[in-house]
Amino acid sequence: MKSVVEKLAENSVLFKDKTAIIFRDEAITYGELYARVRGFCGFMKRLGIRKGDLVVCRASATPAYWTAYFGVQLAGGIFVPLEKDVSAETMTAVCASLGKVSAFVAAERDRETAERCGAAFIRTDDVMRVACGNDASAPVGAYPGADDVGQIL
């Protein structure tokens, strides 16, 4: 059975130009989404994320969320979603119950919580920037990490 990341990779070839995500007035194709996922995966690997590392994400279901969701898994990490409205106290308690959290993807207001958890902090707003360079419409291959991602884990 294929993982969701393997299925996304397959769909990025089979349905490259078909719409995968519609968010507000933005339509993202499977090809574009997978390129962003690979870019974010490369960033996560350079950050030191390895197989089995926990990455907590507090965000709503935006293109950045899905990029992080698939990118963390492609890097071998375990994506731990948190509802965007949970309190800082709840986030800290969740992190404490998980043990070692390697990274935290959230809004700037959550930086202190990530630091209390001993995790690297990545602003949700920066997910697309690191996934695609500074241009969210960057073509496949023009994103950080394109050459160092390798095969699906």
Side-chain angles (χ1 to χ4, degrees), residues 3 8 17 34 37 39 43 45 51 64 76 81 92 103 115 129-130 137 140 143 147 151-152:
S3 72
L8 175 62
D17 297 320
Y34 191 61
V37 166
F43 171 76
K45 285 185 171 187
K51 187 172 184 169
T92 301
E115 290 169 356
R129 184 183 58 76
V130 300
S137 64
V140 174
Y143 51 91
D147 296 327
Q151 297 296 316
I152 294 173

Side-chain angles (χ1 to χ4, degrees), residues 56-120:
V56 172
C57 181
R58 176 178 135 156
S60 54
T62 63
Y65 174 91
W66 293 112
T67 299
Y69 173 79
F70 291 117
V72 166
Q73 292 178 68
L74 185 59
I78 298 170
F79 186 85
V80 181
L82 290 180
E83 174 58 41
K84 67 181 178 92
D85 295 325
V86 302
S87 68
E89 295 77 26
T90 299
M91 290 187 323
T92 301
V94 167
C95 289
S97 72
L98 291 170
K100 183 179 181 326
V101 173
S102 298
F104 204 102
V105 180
E108 181 63 38
R109 68 179 180 269
D110 298 321
R111 180 181 296 274
E112 190 176 304
T113 301
E115 290 169 356
R116 275 195 307 270
C117 295

